[in-house]
Amino acid sequence: MLNKIYVAVLHYPITGKDGRILTTAVVNMDVHDIARTCRTYMIKRYYVVNNLPVQKQIVTRVLNFWGSDFGKNYNASRYEALELVKMVSYYEDLIEDITKAEGISPIKVFTSAKKRSNMVPYDEMKEMVLREERPILFLFGTGQGMPKEILETCDVSLESIRGHSDYNHLSVRSAVAITLDRVIGEFVQKGGS
Amino acid sequence: MLNKIYVAVLHYPITGKDGRILTTAVVNMDVHDIARTCRTYMIKRYYVVNNLPVQKQIVTRVLNFWGSDFGKNYNASRYEALELVKMVSYYEDLIEDITKAEGISPIKVFTSAKKRSNMVPYDEMKEMVLREERPILFLFGTGQGMPKEILETCDVSLESIRGHSDYNHLSVRSAVAITLDRVIGEFVQKGGS
């Protein structure tokens, strides 16, 4: 259902260039751009998953600024978008938080620019977004992407964007925008939360 | 035709909050994200339009870094995207540059989150992108958007993204990504330049 869609951007665990697992840094622009996209597509919550306390402090500072009287007054629509953001430390916390809020665990959707077996096409995903009663969580990686340990926990492995093209290096900000537009598009849920 | 699509992001002339015309600052992330999106959708050139010399210096510095041996070695795909970027001072220079390169002036497409009369729907725009022989230029604003003087020079005023939604504050980075995906999608031009 359109009123139970969640988005999470993982900064940990992420595969590094050398194949080792690492934490990527939060980019201020990620938080802003993805929050604005999520608000536009009526996403219920946008999670930033990062296990480093100092990284969480940075995001908290950004959120506190835009949530202050000055910030709200300066740009009310920015505050409205950033209200959707929630910081958690680990993937497990993310799943637990949604499960607690919804009373049922979400359908987990893995996204990646890399080709995988059994990828679900966008048309099918769109149908699921419209009909499915359970909450749906779209997972996005940073750095070189999410490791296979995350893929193995997922229910759906979504088709890559322009997988037949010769270049697959979209920013996570652009990938979130395109993915939500492909699966939600112009649909507007009336009376949704 | 898919091999004659251009994108321009205007920093001048832009409407300010008080309605006056101003120049907006270049955001480093704009250049990177939009270049990567343009490369993914095989756009011919991505123009940054800014009339302030110091702003052009900033972009030139970014481009020089990623075009250096160190930059190319550090991230070859980033260089490949940034190669598409061209700085011009004024809207008139932009039109002249494309007209010179193509031997014919481009079809100018105005985009905006604001509702306008005679908006062309995405299906129609998609058809045009596939069939039209003339080059097509997609114009994106920053700040509070492009003024009506730019709209009046345009051939097409494209439909807003989620115009029926209650929130229309996508970043220009997300708007470019969604627009190109809606009009080009998974089409890959073989043998295009």
Side-chain angles (χ1 to χ4, degrees):
Chain A
M1 304 291 275
L2 283 175
N3 60 353
K4 292 183 196 168
I5 312 289
Y6 292 85
V7 163
V9 173
L10 268 64
H11 292 272
Y12 175 86
I14 289 299
T15 309
K17 279 187 180 177
D18 58 2
R20 280 190 297 183
I21 297 300
L22 47 77
T23 302
T24 58
V26 170
V27 179
N28 182 23
M29 196 70 88
D30 279 1
V31 183
H32 285 267
D33 274 22
I34 296 174
R36 291 161 75 181
T37 300
C38 285
R39 179 62 190 81
T40 302
Y41 288 88
M42 295 173 165
I43 298 307
K44 199 159 182 182
R45 195 162 284 286
Y46 154 39
Y47 288 91
V48 178
V49 184
N50 196 306
N51 63 329
L52 299 182
V54 70
Q55 290 285 316
K56 289 207 280 192
Q57 278 170 27
I58 293 170
V59 177
T60 305
R61 224 172 126 179
V62 171
L63 299 180
N64 286 347
F65 172 78
W66 292 101
S68 70
D69 287 345
F70 178 82
K72 280 185 202 169
N73 196 37
Y74 184 75
N75 191 336
S77 70
R78 192 60 57 92
Y79 167 67
E80 198 182 332
L82 290 171
E83 264 195 313
L84 296 179
V85 180
K86 187 163 183 179
M87 288 286 307
V88 291
S89 298
Y90 295 100
Y91 179 64
E92 292 74 10
D93 302 331
L94 162 72
I95 305 303
E96 194 184 308
D97 203 68
I98 299 172
T99 306
K100 220 168 175 177
E102 298 285 351
I104 186 168
S105 68
I107 294 172
K108 296 182 278 297
V109 180
F110 186 91
T111 70
S112 170
K114 291 175 199 127
K115 276 186 193 152
R116 289 141 282 144
S117 51
N118 304 318
M119 288 192 293
V120 168
Y122 285 93
D123 281 356
E124 215 173 290
M125 190 72 241
K126 203 169 176 170
E127 271 298 303
M128 203 185 290
V129 159
L130 283 177
R131 312 275 170 241
E132 179 60 50
E133 297 275 334
R134 274 172 68 189
I136 301 180
L137 167 64
F138 287 90
L139 293 160
F140 294 89
T142 51
Q144 307 294 306
M146 297 178 283
K148 70 174 191 327
E149 286 78 3
I150 297 289
L151 174 60
E152 284 163 4
T153 72
C154 287
D155 307 284
V156 175
S157 177
L158 188 61
E159 205 185 331
S160 302
I161 296 165
R162 288 183 66 80
H164 302 291
S165 170
D166 63 341
Y167 187 92
N168 64 349
H169 305 283
L170 286 170
S171 73
V172 65
R173 298 166 290 284
S174 305
V176 171
I178 294 165
T179 302
L180 294 184
D181 190 63
R182 284 192 179 189
V183 300
I184 302 175
E186 292 290 334
F187 280 107
V188 174
Q189 174 103 359
K190 297 293 177 200
S193 57
Chain B
M1 305 292 274
L2 284 174
N3 60 353
K4 291 182 196 169
I5 312 288
Y6 293 84
V7 163
V9 173
L10 267 64
H11 293 271
Y12 176 85
I14 290 298
T15 309
K17 279 187 180 178
D18 58 0
R20 279 190 299 183
I21 297 300
L22 47 75
T23 301
T24 58
V26 170
V27 180
N28 182 23
M29 196 71 88
D30 279 1
V31 183
H32 284 268
D33 274 22
I34 297 174
R36 291 161 75 182
T37 300
C38 285
R39 179 62 190 81
T40 302
Y41 288 88
M42 294 172 167
I43 298 306
K44 198 158 181 183
R45 195 161 284 286
Y46 153 40
Y47 288 91
V48 179
V49 184
N50 196 305
N51 62 328
L52 299 183
V54 69
Q55 290 284 317
K56 291 206 279 194
Q57 278 169 26
I58 293 171
V59 177
T60 305
R61 223 170 126 182
V62 170
L63 299 180
N64 285 346
F65 172 77
W66 292 102
S68 70
D69 286 346
F70 178 81
K72 280 185 202 169
N73 195 37
Y74 183 75
N75 190 337
S77 70
R78 191 59 57 92
Y79 167 67
E80 198 182 332
L82 290 171
E83 264 195 312
L84 296 179
V85 180
K86 187 164 183 178
M87 290 285 307
V88 292
S89 298
Y90 295 100
Y91 179 65
E92 292 74 10
D93 301 331
L94 163 71
I95 305 302
E96 195 184 307
D97 203 67
I98 298 172
T99 306
K100 221 167 174 177
E102 298 285 351
I104 186 167
S105 68
I107 294 172
K108 297 181 279 296
V109 181
F110 186 91
T111 70
S112 170
K114 290 174 199 128
K115 276 185 193 154
R116 289 142 280 144
S117 52
N118 305 317
M119 288 192 292
V120 168
Y122 285 94
D123 281 356
E124 215 173 289
M125 191 72 240
K126 203 169 178 170
E127 269 300 301
M128 204 185 290
V129 158
L130 283 176
R131 313 274 168 242
E132 179 61 49
E133 297 274 336
R134 273 172 68 190
I136 301 180
L137 167 64
F138 287 90
L139 293 160
F140 294 89
T142 52
Q144 308 294 306
M146 295 177 284
K148 68 173 191 332
E149 287 77 3
I150 297 289
L151 174 59
E152 284 163 4
T153 72
C154 287
D155 307 284
V156 176
S157 178
L158 188 61
E159 204 185 332
S160 303
I161 295 165
R162 288 183 65 79
H164 303 289
S165 169
D166 63 342
Y167 187 93
N168 64 349
H169 304 283
L170 286 170
S171 74
V172 66
R173 297 165 289 284
S174 304
V176 172
I178 294 165
T179 303
L180 294 185
D181 190 63
R182 285 192 179 188
V183 300
I184 301 174
E186 291 290 334
F187 281 107
V188 174
Q189 174 102 359
K190 297 292 178 201
S193 58

